[in-house]
């Protein structure tokens, strides 16, 4: 039994570490966005907006955000499935140790690979015709802004009269545009408006319309995330039912643990729904052209999506919860002690030193 308990604890720890890494990446993304916003808040953002959106830094931030959020979501899904399995079986066969370790390693590798694939595939040069949203020529008055393929096709047809190819690629567009300008002064240099550069917060392009070539990729990701949410919800509800049923006939301290488990399960499901359901619903309504959700990128990137990352440490790591309680208790105790000391000093004119007030750690 001790071996089985150690195995369960190690697997739980492995998934919690993955969740922590995903949350850390999300926090790093938010800090960087806040730093860039601070640097550009003096009225220069409108001037530098396109330069920022086509930059490699913006692309890297988008990939980090996507990788972190997907890594955390996939890890929470696998963790809920494993916890459900633990409530159904308690095998203590030590001969399965090597098999269990190998399975865990393969699962972790798969989670990291899939999350990295989703985050990095939109930046592959070989898929630029599918994921690049526009081309930007800085300092060229003829091309103000980052134009799409359709806009470039119209301009090039006016210049060349006839292009001769109905399906223009970005490679051919770059070649045709360069032929329009002299190379005596170094020519012109283009910059791609990449997949994550659809908004200044460099977020995954969640909102697509029916004519967007990226709609299948984005729709598939929404389907995967919705499936993960359904699995997490189903698993934790099943866990709650099983534990409640097994503890129904026993009236001991386990009732308190059961109540705590029910609260934690409710919190996990509520935070997952609050994080992903509003995003998926807005994406669906935007796709159907019921609403224009493009202005909501900042709300989802700063408030909604980081919600899980902020609350996960309190839901999955009991140690952090106890540390938070200890810090809160110490702060309250110190504040009350300092207030009373100042009050007595101002009333009597003498300093009265009392031992610090002790407050119970149980909040």
């Amino acid at each position: 039994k001790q071996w089985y308990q150690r195995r369960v604890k190690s697997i739980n720890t492995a998934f919690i570490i993955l969740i922590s890494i995903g949350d850390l990446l999300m926090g790093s993304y938010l800090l960087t966005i806040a730093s860039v916003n601070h640097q550009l808040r003096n009225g220069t953002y409108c001037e530098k907006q396109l330069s920022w959106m086509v930059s490699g830094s913006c692309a890297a931030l988008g990939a980090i955000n996507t990788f972190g959020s997907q890594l955390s979501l996939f890890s929470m899904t696998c963790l809920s499935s494993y916890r459900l399995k633990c409530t159904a079986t308690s095998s203590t066969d030590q001969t399965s140790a090597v098999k269990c370790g190998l399975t865990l390693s393969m699962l972790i590798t798969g989670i990291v690979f899939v999350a990295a694939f989703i985050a990095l595939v939109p930046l592959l040069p070989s898929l630029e015709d599918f994921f690049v949203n526009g081309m930007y020529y800085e300092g060229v008055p003829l091309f103000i802004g980052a134009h799409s393929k359709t806009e470039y096709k119209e301009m090039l047809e006016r210049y060349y009269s006839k292009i001769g190819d109905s399906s223009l690629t970005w490679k051919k567009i770059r070649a045709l545009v360069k032929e329009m300008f002299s190379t005596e002064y170094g020519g012109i240099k283009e910059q791609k408006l990449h997949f994550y550069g659809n908004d200044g917060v460099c977020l995954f392009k969640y909102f697509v319309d029916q004519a967007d070539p990226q709609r299948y990729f984005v729709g598939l990701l929404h389907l995967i995330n919705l499936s993960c949410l359904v699995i997490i919800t189903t698993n934790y509800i099943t866990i709650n039912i099983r534990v409640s049923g097994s503890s129904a006939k026993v009236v001991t301290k386990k009732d308190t643990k059961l109540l705590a488990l029910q609260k934690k399960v409710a919190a996990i499901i509520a935070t997952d729904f609050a994080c992903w359901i509003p995003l998926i619903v807005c994406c669906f309504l935007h796709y159907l052209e019921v609403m224009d959700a493009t202005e909501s990128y900042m709300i989802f990137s700063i408030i909604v999506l980081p919600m899980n990352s902020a609350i996960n440490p309190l839901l999955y790591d009991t140690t952090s919860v106890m540390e938070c309680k200890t810090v809160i208790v110490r702060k309250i105790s110190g504040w009350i002690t300092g207030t009373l000391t100042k009050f007595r000093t101002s009333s009597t004119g003498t300093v009265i030193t009392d031992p610090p007030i002790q407050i119970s750690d149980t909040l």
Side-chain angles (χ1 to χ4, degrees), residues 328-357:
I328 293 173
V329 167
R330 289 177 180 174
K331 292 289 185 181
I332 295 176
S333 177
W335 178 79
I336 294 177
T337 303
T339 303
L340 290 178
T341 301
K342 291 179 180 179
F343 176 75
R344 292 176 182 178
T345 301
S346 61
S347 300
T348 61
T350 58
V351 178
I352 302 174
T353 304
D354 289 338
I357 297 174

Side-chain angles (χ1 to χ4, degrees), residues 50-301:
L50 275 176
S51 298
W52 163 247
M53 292 168 62
V54 300
S55 67
S57 300
C58 181
L61 278 178
I64 289 173
N65 176 282
T66 304
F67 176 73
S69 61
Q70 296 303 135
L71 180 67
S72 181
L73 181 61
F74 293 158
S75 300
M76 287 189 291
T77 305
C78 293
L79 179 58
S80 67
S81 300
Y82 179 73
R83 287 178 172 177
L84 177 63
K85 180 182 177 183
C86 290
T87 62
T89 179
S90 58
S91 173
T92 57
D93 184 11
Q94 297 189 24
T95 58
S96 62
V98 177
K99 183 179 179 181
C100 178
L102 180 61
T103 303
L104 178 63
S105 300
M106 293 177 62
L107 187 58
I108 291 176
T109 303
I111 291 173
V112 174
F113 175 80
V114 174
F117 177 82
I118 292 173
L120 296 177
V121 71
L123 300 178
L124 294 177
S126 58
L127 298 176
E128 66 174 9
D129 288 314
F130 186 73
F131 286 109
V132 172
N133 295 311
M135 203 67 66
Y136 174 56
Y137 290 90
E138 187 174 5
V140 180
L142 182 61
F143 303 111
I144 299 177
H147 297 283
S148 64
K149 272 187 179 182
T150 304
E151 293 170 332
Y152 271 110
K153 183 179 180 181
E154 294 177 357
M155 288 186 287
L156 292 173
E157 283 180 344
R158 292 177 183 177
Y159 184 84
Y160 289 101
S161 297
K162 187 176 181 181
I163 300 177
D165 190 357
S166 58
S167 58
L168 275 178
T169 63
W170 283 118
K171 183 178 180 180
K172 185 170 184 179
I173 289 175
R174 288 194 295 269
L176 291 173
V177 170
K178 286 184 178 180
E179 291 180 2
M180 297 169 62
F181 297 89
S182 172
T183 59
E184 294 182 0
Y185 302 98
I188 59 175
K189 185 178 181 181
E190 75 284 347
Q191 291 177 290
K192 301 176 184 178
L193 184 62
H194 48 77
F195 182 74
Y196 297 107
N198 58 91
D199 193 84
V201 291
C202 306
L203 196 65
F204 186 94
K205 191 178 179 180
Y206 289 108
F207 305 124
V208 294
D209 54 38
Q210 299 179 20
D212 199 314
Q214 301 147 5
R215 62 187 182 277
Y216 299 112
F217 176 75
V218 176
L220 179 61
L221 182 65
H222 287 319
L223 181 61
I224 292 173
N225 291 345
L226 183 60
S227 300
C228 289
L229 180 61
V230 171
I231 292 172
I232 292 172
T233 303
T234 304
N235 286 344
Y236 279 116
I237 290 177
T238 306
I239 290 171
N240 190 28
I241 294 174
R242 286 181 179 177
V243 175
S244 301
S246 63
S247 304
K249 298 180 181 180
V250 183
V251 183
T252 61
K253 292 183 179 179
K254 289 185 178 180
D255 292 340
T256 304
K257 294 183 178 180
L258 177 60
L259 182 60
L261 173 64
Q262 291 173 341
K263 290 181 178 179
K264 181 177 289 188
V265 168
I268 290 173
I269 295 174
T271 53
D272 288 339
F273 265 85
C275 177
W276 290 104
I277 291 300
L279 176 62
I280 294 174
V281 170
C282 285
C283 293
F284 183 70
L285 294 177
H286 180 86
Y287 179 77
L288 295 178
E289 299 181 355
V290 176
M291 61 176 291
D292 184 8
T294 53
E295 300 296 328
S296 304
Y297 271 112
M298 184 170 295
I299 296 175
F300 283 104
S301 65

Side-chain angles (χ1 to χ4, degrees), residues 309-344:
S309 300
I311 300 178
N312 280 342
L314 303 179
L315 298 178
Y316 290 96
D317 188 2
T318 56
T319 303
S320 62
V321 176
M322 295 305 297
E323 290 177 355
C324 288
K325 287 185 176 181
T326 302
V327 170
I328 293 173
V329 167
R330 289 177 180 174
K331 292 289 185 181
I332 295 176
S333 177
W335 178 79
I336 294 177
T337 303
T339 303
L340 290 178
T341 301
K342 291 179 180 179
F343 176 75
R344 292 176 182 178

